[in-house]
């Protein structure tokens, strides 16, 4: 099992450009998440998908959109990149079910390092 | 809003020493707490998950405790090794937010 995979690993964008970060998991998890990690700010949740077909905003959703393409894949899109979006982006998955209120272990991908000039 | 604080922010110890990392959270109405490890330039790896009904959880040289009423958790590492050097993060659920993370404790174990 590959676990959680993310592409690309590195990306440099110019202000105003758009891009999509891809995430896939092969653990048959219901829930998937996108985080960003910044020095001094820690990990912050951008969006999550508790189950296929649903998405919800996290702590810092502005400037991002997400798509839960199917149970395996959850993509994050920056429509018009800004320097403030320079960060390391992590995707994660788990068997979390908000309905049941049960949190299972979250498994993280290796991250995408994004630099916006 | 849930806030998670980890103290100390950084810690350096000689190899073989036992150590304790601290995590506190403001909203004690949690149903579990997770400890993660992050190596430089890497993603996070889950170490331990403690359900609210448990007081502690053990894995090898790691022991995590949870005191919901006081809003605290500790991660105890026994007989530390240089390979334990990493950043350790704790995380708790908050309302409909799956996880809120602390900023981590950066541990260096010196051989």
């Amino acid at each position: 099992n590959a676990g959680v995979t993310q592409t690309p690993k590195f990306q440099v964008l110019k202000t105003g450009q758009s891009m999509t970060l891809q995430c896939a998991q092969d653990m048959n998890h219901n829930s998937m998440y996108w985080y960003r990690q910044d020095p001094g700010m820690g990990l912050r949740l951008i969006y999550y998908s508790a189950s296929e077909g649903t998405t919800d905003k996290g702590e810092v959703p502005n400037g991002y959109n997400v798509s839960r393409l199917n149970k395996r894949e959850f993509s994050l899109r920056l429509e018009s990149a800004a320097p403030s979006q320079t960060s390391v982006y992590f995707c994660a998955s788990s068997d979390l079910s908000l309905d049941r209120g049960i949190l299972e272990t979250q498994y993280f991908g290796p991250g995408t390092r994004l630099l916006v000039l | 809003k849930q806030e998670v604080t980890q103290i100390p922010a950084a810690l350096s110890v000689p190899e073989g020493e036992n150590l304790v990392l601290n995590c506190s959270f403001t909203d004690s109405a949690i149903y579990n707490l997770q400890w993660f490890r992050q190596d430089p330039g890497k993603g996070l790896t889950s170490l331990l998950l403690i359900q609210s009904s448990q007081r502690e959880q053990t894995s090898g040289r790691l022991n995590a405790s949870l005191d919901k009423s006081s809003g605290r958790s500790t991660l105890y590492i026994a007989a530390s090794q240089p390979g334990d050097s990493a950043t350790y993060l704790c995380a708790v659920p908050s309302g409909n937010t799956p996880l809120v993370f602390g900023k981590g404790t950066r541990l260096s174990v010196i051989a």
Side-chain angles (χ1 to χ4, degrees), chain B residues 14-97:
Chain B
E15 181 178 5
E17 192 164 297
N18 302 326
L19 58 100
V20 174
L21 307 181
N22 297 295
C23 171
S24 62
F25 44 93
T26 54
D27 183 356
S28 61
I30 62 171
Y31 47 84
N32 54 43
L33 179 145
Q34 275 189 258
W35 281 95
F36 292 87
R37 168 184 173 139
Q38 184 175 28
D39 293 290
K42 305 291 186 181
L44 279 69
T45 300
S46 180
L47 296 173
L48 291 163
L49 184 152
I50 312 176
Q51 303 290 355
S52 59
S53 57
Q54 299 173 312
R55 292 190 65 83
E56 63 178 55
Q57 191 73 260
T58 298
S59 176
R61 295 182 293 107
L62 305 180
N63 177 275
S65 67
L66 175 62
D67 184 343
K68 275 186 57 176
S69 61
S70 67
R72 294 179 182 177
S73 177
T74 61
L75 179 66
Y76 175 82
I77 302 177
S80 58
Q81 303 170 358
D84 295 330
S85 298
T87 297
Y88 292 80
L89 301 102
C90 70
V92 294
S94 173
N96 287 330
T97 302

Side-chain angles (χ1 to χ4, degrees), chain A residues 33 35 37 40-45 48 58-59 90 96-98 101-111 113, chain B residues 1 31-34 36 38 40-46 49 51 89 92-93 95-103:
Chain A
Y33 318 85
Y35 295 91
Q37 187 174 38
M41 300 296 292
L43 268 160
R44 293 177 293 170
L45 183 66
Y48 65 100
E59 183 182 356
F90 289 101
L96 168 69
S97 169
L98 289 177
I102 297 174
L103 173 69
E104 303 295 336
T105 298
Q106 286 201 8
Y107 294 85
F108 280 75
R113 284 153 184 77
Chain B
K1 176 185 174 184
Y31 47 84
N32 54 43
L33 179 145
Q34 275 189 258
F36 292 87
Q38 184 175 28
K42 305 291 186 181
L44 279 69
T45 300
S46 180
L49 184 152
Q51 303 290 355
L89 301 102
V92 294
N96 287 330
T97 302
L99 281 180
V100 175
F101 283 82
K103 294 181 181 179

Side-chain angles (χ1 to χ4, degrees), chain A residues 36-44 60 84-89:
Chain A
R36 61 178 289 174
Q37 187 174 38
D38 303 289
M41 300 296 292
L43 268 160
R44 293 177 293 170
V60 287
S84 61
Q85 294 178 305
T86 293
S87 187
V88 181
Y89 292 85

